[in-house]
Structure formats: C-alpha cells, structure tokens
Amino acid sequence: MSGIIKSSGLHIGVLGGGQLGQMLGLAGIGLGHRFSFLDPAERPPAAQVGRHIRAEYDDPEALERLVRECDLITLEFENVPEATARWIDQHAEIAPPPQALAIAQDRLTEKLFFQQQGLAVAPFVALDTAEQAQSAFAEINGPGILKTRRLGYDGKGQVRFEDSDGVSAGFEQLGRVPCILEGLVDFEREVSMVCARRADGQMAFYPLTENEHQNGILYQSRVLTDDPLQQPAQSACRAVADALDYVGVLTIEFFVRNGELLVNEMAPRVHNSGHWSLGGAVCSQFENHLRAILGWPLGSTKPHSAALMRNLVGAMPQPSAVLQLPGVLLQDYGKSARPGRKLGHITLLAADQTTLDAQSEKLEQALADTPFG
Ligand code: AMP
C-alpha cells in the first residue's frame, strides 16, 4: 500500500463476494468506481454489483487477472489464504495489509498480538495434542470454550467444556486440529468497535455497539451513545491499527467484564456490527473503507439518531410487513434461504432510545407475524 491518494473511476478488486462485498460495491459505485469480486461460489451476492471472477482464492490465473486488471485490491472475507494476500502485495496494491489478515486468521497469534499491544484478553492456552488436554485444563482451571485456531466463524469450530474430559471430547469433535482453550468470561455485555484508518494514520471511529448473539450468530447490534468505554475502545483500536500500519476498516470485538474491556477478536474488514451505519450514520463503514484505502478524507461516523441493526437469519420477512414501520431500512442480500444463514438485515432508526425500544418491539412482532419466505 503506497498511501498515494487515488483518483475516481478506478477498478477495485475484492477478495470475496459475499454481502459485505455487495455493500462495498454499492457504496463504491456511488463514488465512481467499478468492481471485480473473486469468489469460488456460483452466484455470490456481490455478483449483482460488479464482475464476478469465479475461482478459488489461490487460483494463479485468476489472481494474475485481478492484479493485471484492477488498480487496487481489498478484501471482504478474512479466510483468504495469507499466501494469496502476500502474492498480491508483491504485484499490486492491497489494503488492509496481509499481516493483519495473517494475525486475524489464527486465534493464538491474534491473542499474543493483542497482549503485545498491552490489551487484556480472556485467559487462554494452546492445545495441539490430545495428551495436552489434562494440563491445558489445569491451567485454565474452570469451564471454558475450546476453539479451533483457524477457520472458525459464527460460533463454528467451538465447543464448550466443564472439565478435562470435556476438553478431550471437544478436541476429538473439532477434528484434533490445533486449538486454543479459553476460560469462560463472565461478561456483562459484548461490544464492538468499527474504525477506519488511512495510510497516514488518520482514523475515524464509529460509536461502540452492544451485540447480542443467538446460537453463536450475531442477532442484534445496538448503537451506544456516550458509553464510558468509547474512549478506551478507541485507544485499543488505535494501538492495534497503528501496530499493523493498517489501512481500511478494522473491527474489534470486546467482552465487558467488571466495566472493563477484554479484547475477544478482530476482523480486518467491514463488519456485521457496523451495518447500521448504512443509512444510520453520515458515512457508512463501507464508504469509509473505500475512502481509507483510496487515501480520501474519512467521512463522519456520527449516527443520525438512535439506531439498532437486527440480522435476518434463515428466512426473510415480507418486505411490506416490516417497511410499514417507521424508521425501518431493509437490506436483502439476495441469497437463497438456509437455516442459520444471514440473508439480510434491518436497520431501525428512531429519534431517541425510548422510541427505538418501542419500535423494536413492534418490529419483533411484525417479524413474528409475517409469513417468512
Ligand atoms: P468468537 O467466535 O470467539 O467471537 O465467539 C463467539 C461467541 O461465543 C462470542 O461472541 C461470545 O458470545 C461467546 N464466547 C466466545 N469466547 C468466550 C469466552 N472466552 N467466554 C465467554 N463467552 C465466549
């Protein structure tokens, strides 16, 4: 990433073509750019807003085409092979930096990196063999979660345990792959921060959101106003982003325990908990990601009003049933329905928190009443 300010009318290549790519594309078309998305899926959501190069992420021909034809490459999927990002880095401009991707892909490396930045994390210990289960459990000394070091998402690649037998069983269940054992954090709430950083170090921070999960999948994110942890979270984000020479949007998820932040994980990309910013903030996370990688001035992260984002998982509602409610914005990713699959989201906006709570209840009612399909 050279940090040179880019013009408009560029061809931006994106590794991944899911809904995050779709929303990046929608924002970027408005800024005068066009897109190519590399994604092995047959018809990924982003194919609706740009050219789809259907290939594996390590396909040499597809990668050569991407660097030959695109002015700048970014990503929306964090499990792109590190080698792919590093190869692109040698032949074209890529942001965020491959180093950020490499760290985020491995829970152990990620935790050690956070500690190096002076950030608190949940107690953890690495587990590579079945023989280590007993001693690993003894170190944690209490219930916890066994997580695969790589390729976990939306609660996948995780098993809860109570004792060392549970660790052994979990290790088998996860396929005897390298794992980390994490002590269970008795958190009051989970929050995340989405921020954007340019190559020159300028940053913009969105307000923290409080996130609720169901079955390991994000269910709802509420935008927090004047939260006492906003500044500490910003400092943590700055420490991480500066250490990585980060360029683009970065997201950090935290547990809040005894009123203090523990870093859970980071995503080197736009994030589900920032979707509310599309329509709910002056400048969305998608536009700010593009502004950051282009070296353009970052946009205001200020919310227009009280806001929350509600994911639509497994089934979509009838649009008219939810759009009749005031303050509702609906985003449909155009994906086929499947249990546990994120198909779209609703952003709910209201003048104040009390009205937002009341509207949220009505929204839940409408979602419960409407025939899904
Ligand atoms: P992760 O994939 O690490 O974000 O984990 C998914 C979800 O599992 C988190 O959002 C938490 O709700 C829960 N979780 C993960 N790790 C822990 C932990 N160490 N203690 C308590 N809950 C956890």
Side-chain angles (χ1 to χ4, degrees):
M1 181 74 207
S2 72
I4 294 167
I5 296 169
K6 304 290 185 298
S7 62
S8 53
L10 298 185
H11 186 175
I12 300 175
V14 185
L15 301 169
Q19 62 264 24
L20 304 180
Q22 185 188 71
M23 290 182 274
L24 274 176
L26 287 169
I29 289 168
L31 293 172
H33 304 295
R34 66 203 166 89
F35 290 82
S36 283
F37 298 94
L38 177 68
D39 193 305
E42 191 183 347
R43 239 176 328 195
Q48 295 177 40
V49 296
R51 188 176 56 166
H52 174 209
I53 301 173
R54 187 177 181 195
E56 295 299 328
Y57 293 114
D58 56 358
D59 181 317
E61 266 177 47
L63 294 178
E64 276 185 27
R65 185 174 162 201
L66 209 63
V67 301
R68 193 173 59 242
E69 296 180 1
C70 297
D71 302 296
L72 178 61
I73 316 262
T74 188
L75 57 94
E76 63 92 72
F77 175 61
E78 75 203 60
N79 285 322
V80 170
E82 182 190 342
T84 291
R86 295 216 183 268
W87 184 85
I88 293 174
D89 199 25
Q90 282 164 8
H91 296 86
E93 276 192 42
I94 183 167
Q99 170 79 346
L101 190 71
I103 292 174
Q105 283 177 352
D106 184 331
R107 288 185 189 274
L108 179 61
T109 318
E110 188 182 43
K111 285 237 172 353
L112 295 169
F113 168 75
F114 289 143
Q115 286 185 322
Q116 275 166 15
Q117 310 317 313
L119 303 171
V121 298
F124 68 96
V125 51
L127 179 66
D128 293 325
T129 65
E131 289 68 39
Q132 291 166 347
Q134 195 88 31
S135 59
F137 177 75
E139 214 170 306
I140 294 296
N141 195 25
I145 306 186
L146 185 66
K147 301 179 179 180
T148 57
R149 278 174 59 175
R150 295 181 162 274
L151 298 173
Y153 70 100
D154 283 349
K156 295 188 177 69
Q158 300 191 6
V159 181
R160 294 206 172 214
F161 64 83
E162 297 292 329
D163 50 30
S164 65
D165 285 350
V167 176
S168 300
F171 190 64
E172 292 298 321
Q173 194 182 324
L174 294 175
R176 294 177 160 251
V177 293
C179 286
I180 62 166
L181 216 66
E182 260 184 55
L184 202 65
V185 177
D186 189 15
F187 57 79
E188 292 109 51
R189 53 194 181 121
E190 290 188 86
V191 298
S192 60
M193 177 162 281
V194 175
C195 62
R197 185 181 186 275
R198 301 187 342 163
D200 65 1
Q202 268 191 50
M203 290 191 74
F205 305 91
Y206 285 92
L208 277 169
T209 60
E210 184 166 333
N211 306 323
E212 251 181 80
H213 296 84
Q214 273 185 6
N215 305 320
I217 301 176
L218 183 65
Y219 167 75
Q220 184 165 283
S221 292
R222 272 178 176 267
V223 179
L224 300 171
T225 40
D226 303 324
D227 195 276
L229 293 174
Q230 178 74 20
Q231 285 306 323
Q234 288 188 195
S235 302
C237 286
R238 183 171 286 287
V240 168
D242 284 350
L244 293 168
D245 255 332
Y246 197 88
V247 178
V249 159
L250 168 76
T251 308
I252 302 191
E253 296 180 63
F254 304 90
F255 300 123
V256 181
R257 188 185 58 187
N258 300 331
E260 296 198 346
L261 293 172
L262 292 182
V263 181
N264 178 22
E265 59 182 0
M266 68 175 179
R269 54 168 172 77
V270 289
H271 193 259
N272 198 167
S273 65
H275 287 2
W276 66 272
S277 63
L278 190 60
V282 175
C283 185
S284 76
Q285 62 165 345
F286 305 102
E287 181 166 335
N288 258 334
H289 177 70
L290 297 170
R291 289 193 192 201
I293 67 172
L294 293 161
W296 291 6
L298 297 176
S300 166
T301 54
K302 206 169 156 25
H304 294 304
S305 64
L308 64 78
M309 187 282 315
R310 161 73 152 81
N311 265 339
L312 299 167
V313 179
M316 287 296 286
Q318 287 290 352
S320 55
V322 289
L323 292 176
Q324 65 173 340
L325 298 170
V328 164
L329 300 172
L330 176 66
Q331 203 78 24
D332 182 337
Y333 310 145
K335 290 156 84 171
S336 50
R338 215 190 290 147
R341 196 174 199 205
K342 292 174 183 170
L343 303 177
H345 70 263
I346 285 172
T347 297
L348 184 61
L349 306 173
D352 52 55
Q353 291 296 333
T354 314
T355 317
L356 188 74
D357 288 345
Q359 288 304 107
S360 169
E361 268 181 42
K362 286 195 188 135
L363 173 63
E364 290 306 322
Q365 195 57 53
L367 288 171
D369 290 347
T370 181
F372 279 68

